[in-house]
Each structure stands twice: as structure tokens, then as C-alpha cells.
Amino acid sequence: MIYLTRKCEFSASHYYHNPDWTDEQNRRVFGKCANLNGHGHNYTLEVTVKGEIDPVTGFVVDLKELKDILNREVVDAMDHRHLNKEVPEFASRIPTTENIAIAIWQRLADKLHVAKLHRVRLHEMPDLFVDFYGEA
Amino acid sequence: MKAYLTREYIFSASHRLHADGLSDEQNSSVYGKCNNPHGHGHNYSLEVTVSGQVSPETGMVCNLVDLDEAVQHTVLQRFDHRNLNMLADFAALVPTTENLTEAIYNILKQSFHSAHLEKVRIEETSKNSFEYAGGETPCR
């Protein structure tokens, strides 16, 4: 089994707000992230897929195809967007790094034909990242 | 759904690698430059990985403020800008990064309870890194 990781970047804005809570509760739990005017990050996404090496091509996955899927499903949908307002998953879920990683997994999982999705790693900052392996 | 969150912290400390059970010559041979009696230092990069169910209320595995506070109070204040050889943690242990990694894992296991501590990873230099997951295979 070979694991292959492809990286891409996108920049987006967001804020954290739980509509069931008071403003005071939101500020207390989410701190500066609760500012409803939003703020932004340069996200770095690493997608790891796994599979056996195709004896003919020597590939686990066609990188061009993986890049096209990442661009279509993630970058086009999230780059230079406001996650709360423009990405449907976050109409009802708070766009934390955890939830963005899960949403990216859900967007990608059934789009890969040859290789299997192993891990989504999403860096919000150079010193903070979340891994999601599709676990319930 | 279960997610893994990793946060990086930096601290700087000095140490000297020297085992009391070995002769001076053996220490010099085993530890090389790290056995210099005057010690030397590193900027350590510490990665702490925690895991748990993502809360539907907050969208988080745990509040980063809680993790930062635990690491600040129990790890960084203890080791940053210190000589590791002078600390009680290393009175009977050589302060290799292997031993430091285990020590920090054990400290955080005691002090941080807002999520499951998965592993601690320390880069001593950009070329050396060490991971400890309490005896388990670290998540990848």
C-alpha cells in the first residue's frame, strides 16, 4: 500500500457563531473568532490517498485527476469565499477547522475512483492543523 | 465525528547529554558534541495532538484556549529558557529528546482533560524528531 499526499491552498473568511447561544456566550467560547464581521486565513490542505501501484502506469493515482478534483470540489468552492455565507455546509455548521476538514472529506470521499481517501489534513495556521480520517 | 487537532509550541532550553553510569571516555564516545560539559541549547518545536468527537455545539474537539493554557502552565513555564539538566525531571534521566518527549506526554496526560491526548512530537532540530503516544503507535 502506498500513501500519496497532494497539497493545495485556499484563502477564506469565516466567523464562529452558535445561533442558539446569546452574544455573550458566543464571545466567551469563541473569543475573537465570534466577531460577526469575520476574519480570514490562508488554509493549507493536504489530502492523502492510499492504494496499490498500478503495474502499467506505476501510479497510485493520476495526480492530474486528483488535482482537478481538489480544484473543483475544494478550491473553486472555498477560495476567496466567505465560508459561513457561501459554502452550503456551513449554513448549519460552524466553519471551525474541524468542520471544514470533515466537509472536505465528505466532498472528496466518493469522487476518487482508483485510490482511497486516507486523511484530510487542514492547516488553519502554520501552528495549528486538524486531521480527519473519516471516523464516526 | 472524531477529529485530531495538532497545535505547535516553541520553547528553548539547554542540556548536556551525560550518563552517570558511563565513563568520561564512554560518554564522549556515545554522545559526541552533546557531551560538552558546558552544555548547548535548542529551539524545540513541540506538537501536541489531541482527539475527540467534534462537538455539534462548538464545532470543536476542544477549546484551543484550554489546550494553550495547559501547555503554557505545565510545560512551557517548566522547560522554556531552562537548563534541562538542572530540573527534577532529569535528576535521574539523561535529558535526551526521547526522555523529554515522554516526560511532556506524561505531564500533559495528567494536566489536560478536555480531549484525549493522542501524541506528543518534538523536533529538536529540523532534522531530528521524536514522537510518543503513551506506548501506542502514533496516529498518522
Side-chain angles (χ1 to χ4, degrees), chain A residues 8 19 32 34 62 64 78 92 120 126:
Chain A
C8 66
K32 286 194 285 189
D62 183 334
K64 165 88 170 52
M78 298 188 189
S92 57
V120 165

Side-chain angles (χ1 to χ4, degrees), chain A residues 18 21 29-30 94 96 98-99 106 119 127-133 135-136, chain B residues 1-8 53-54 57-61 63-64 139-140:
Chain A
N18 182 330
W21 293 349
V29 173
F30 295 130
I94 302 168
T96 57
E98 290 91 327
N99 276 337
Q106 290 168 337
R119 183 185 73 193
D127 65 355
L128 176 66
F129 63 85
V130 163
D131 289 332
F132 185 63
Y133 295 85
E135 291 172 277
Chain B
M1 293 194 198
K2 184 182 180 184
Y4 300 73
L5 181 143
T6 300
R7 179 82 149 162
E8 183 194 18
Q53 290 294 315
V54 177
E57 271 197 315
T58 64
M60 296 170 170
V61 167
N63 199 320
L64 266 184
C139 54
R140 294 290 175 188

Side-chain angles (χ1 to χ4, degrees), chain B residues 12-119:
Chain B
S12 305
S14 63
H15 69 171
R16 178 200 185 199
L17 304 188
H18 182 91
D20 292 336
L22 301 178
S23 69
D24 285 352
E25 195 191 345
Q26 283 173 316
N27 270 297
S28 173
S29 154
V30 170
Y31 295 123
K33 286 195 287 191
C34 300
N35 187 237
N36 178 342
H38 301 293
H40 63 280
H42 296 287
N43 296 323
Y44 293 94
S45 159
L46 164 67
E47 281 182 11
V48 178
T49 301
V50 300
S51 69
Q53 290 294 315
V54 177
S55 156
E57 271 197 315
T58 64
M60 296 170 170
V61 167
C62 70
N63 199 320
L64 266 184
V65 175
D66 297 338
L67 180 61
D68 286 351
E69 278 180 3
V71 174
Q72 181 66 40
H73 290 139
T74 64
V75 177
L76 302 182
Q77 283 181 12
R78 188 159 169 166
F79 296 118
D80 187 36
H81 285 73
R82 298 297 180 101
N83 179 337
L84 299 179
N85 298 70
M86 306 300 285
L87 302 177
D89 305 79
F90 300 106
L93 275 179
V94 183
T96 57
T97 308
E98 289 90 330
N99 279 332
L100 182 62
T101 306
E102 263 198 47
I104 290 176
Y105 178 93
N106 290 330
I107 290 167
L108 287 173
K109 199 77 189 165
Q110 293 292 319
S111 64
F112 180 73
H113 306 289
S114 303
H116 176 70
L117 180 64
E118 281 287 336
K119 74 170 179 187

Side-chain angles (χ1 to χ4, degrees), chain A residues 4-7 47 49 59-71:
Chain A
L4 181 149
T5 300
R6 175 87 194 177
K7 191 188 274 194
V47 172
V49 300
F59 289 163
V60 168
V61 63
D62 183 334
L63 268 181
K64 165 88 170 52
E65 190 189 331
L66 180 59
K67 183 178 155 190
D68 288 346
I69 294 171
L70 290 182
N71 279 339

Side-chain angles (χ1 to χ4, degrees), chain A residues 2-135:
Chain A
I2 296 286
Y3 295 75
L4 181 149
T5 300
R6 175 87 194 177
K7 191 188 274 194
C8 66
E9 295 176 350
F10 60 93
S11 304
S13 60
H14 68 172
Y15 58 79
Y16 294 174
H17 179 79
N18 182 330
D20 297 332
W21 293 349
T22 64
D23 289 349
E24 199 277 330
Q25 270 178 302
N26 273 289
R27 270 195 302 273
R28 182 162 45 77
V29 173
F30 295 130
K32 286 194 285 189
C33 299
N35 181 337
L36 293 177
N37 292 320
H39 62 281
H41 297 284
N42 297 323
Y43 291 93
T44 301
L45 171 66
E46 289 179 34
V47 172
T48 302
V49 300
K50 61 186 172 187
E52 300 298 338
I53 300 173
D54 182 302
V56 176
T57 64
F59 289 163
V60 168
V61 63
D62 183 334
L63 268 181
K64 165 88 170 52
E65 190 189 331
L66 180 59
K67 183 178 155 190
D68 288 346
I69 294 171
L70 290 182
N71 279 339
R72 191 177 62 239
E73 297 298 327
V74 181
V75 179
D76 291 352
M78 298 188 189
D79 187 40
H80 286 72
R81 303 277 185 176
H82 193 301
L83 298 176
N84 301 67
K85 298 178 191 298
E86 296 183 85
V87 179
E89 287 94 324
F90 306 117
S92 57
R93 276 189 270 169
I94 302 168
T96 57
T97 316
E98 290 91 327
N99 276 337
I100 303 169
I102 291 170
I104 290 172
W105 176 286
Q106 290 168 337
R107 280 171 174 251
L108 295 177
D110 59 357
K111 303 289 192 313
L112 297 167
H113 304 299
V114 188
K116 197 166 157 44
L117 191 56
H118 172 66
R119 183 185 73 193
V120 165
R121 169 171 290 182
L122 183 65
H123 282 263
E124 185 189 76
M125 304 273 291
D127 65 355
L128 176 66
F129 63 85
V130 163
D131 289 332
F132 185 63
Y133 295 85
E135 291 172 277

